[in-house]
Amino acid sequence: MLTEKDIFDFVFFPQNLSEEKQDRILKSSNFDGLIDFYSNLKSEINKQISESVREKLLEKINLYKVQKFFRLKLVEEPKTRKNSEFLVLAAASSPEEPNIIAQSFIDEPNHLLVRVIKSKDITRIYTFSTEDKALKNIKIKILPSGKEFFMPDNSFPLEIKENLLISEVQIELD
């Protein structure tokens, strides 16, 4: 089974992914939307910073300390196209809510990414570092509810068995 982390690693750190998983991802068109999303994110992260911005940062660098608190904002994702391989029936049926809802949250300097995958019964929260760092002792605060959760590390998603409205995510690292 392929996970959200597998798709993330496929784009950012393919060396961390087995050849079998890489082949499965490449052979399936189901992951094209996610691959495009992560590829665009990676290209934005890798853009060069202008010399004037670098100089301003160097002037202020002594004002900064190691950041342990991150505020992640919702990223608007383009709507994915429906696959034409699926049969679409024209009979009138009651409108249903989507079975799975995915949201992405990223901090301003693009060091952390959170993917929230909501299904009917469970919400899974994946945390990723774009610098291929293992995250430890993660405190996650969901806004607007203010509920807080703890993850010992980011090797597995946080699973929440309630439906929460999520407009922003705050992460504090120990």
Side-chain angles (χ1 to χ4, degrees):
M1 181 170 114
L2 294 172
T3 66
E4 188 81 21
K5 177 144 179 42
D6 293 331
I7 307 300
F8 176 83
D9 284 343
F10 178 79
V11 174
F12 279 87
F13 310 107
Q15 69 277 9
N16 293 351
L17 204 58
S18 71
E19 287 184 33
E20 175 193 348
K21 286 188 176 184
Q22 288 183 24
D23 288 342
R24 287 176 54 203
I25 292 169
L26 285 171
K27 289 178 182 174
S28 175
S29 64
N30 293 336
F31 305 111
D32 290 348
L34 278 175
I35 292 170
D36 288 344
F37 171 74
Y38 286 128
S39 296
N40 290 335
L41 181 64
K42 184 177 181 180
S43 70
E44 286 296 317
I45 291 170
N46 292 331
K47 283 188 178 175
Q48 293 296 321
I49 299 173
S50 71
E51 194 60 39
S52 64
V53 171
R54 287 181 190 197
E55 288 173 10
K56 289 178 184 178
L57 286 171
L58 285 173
E59 291 172 7
K60 296 182 179 190
I61 200 134
N62 61 352
L63 300 175
Y64 295 100
K65 296 181 181 172
V66 176
Q67 187 173 12
K68 294 183 177 186
F69 180 80
F70 299 89
R71 186 175 181 179
L72 291 85
K73 297 289 187 177
L74 181 64
V75 176
E76 292 297 325
E77 298 179 42
K79 300 288 184 201
T80 57
R81 293 180 293 159
K82 293 194 177 192
N83 194 338
S84 60
E85 296 176 16
F86 295 110
L87 178 63
V88 178
L89 301 176
S93 60
S94 61
E96 294 181 17
E97 290 187 32
N99 291 339
I100 297 176
I101 298 172
Q103 295 176 298
S104 299
F105 298 84
I106 192 160
D107 66 318
E108 198 166 311
N110 299 328
H111 296 300
L112 294 177
L113 172 70
V114 167
R115 283 284 285 174
V116 176
I117 310 295
K118 292 181 181 182
S119 63
K120 182 179 179 184
D121 301 326
I122 195 162
T123 300
R124 288 184 179 86
I125 299 177
Y126 296 84
T127 57
F128 304 110
S129 168
T130 59
E131 299 168 340
D132 197 20
K133 293 181 182 175
L135 303 175
K136 305 273 186 204
N137 300 322
I138 308 162
K139 186 169 120 181
I140 297 178
K141 185 174 186 177
I142 305 296
L143 296 174
S145 71
K147 290 196 173 191
E148 294 183 356
F149 303 92
F150 179 78
M151 293 174 67
D153 59 43
N154 67 330
S155 58
F156 294 100
L158 171 67
E159 294 186 352
I160 304 170
K161 292 187 176 13
E162 61 182 290
N163 188 6
L164 293 173
L165 174 66
I166 304 175
S167 62
E168 183 177 317
V169 176
Q170 294 178 356
I171 292 182
E172 189 175 335
L173 300 175
D174 188 18

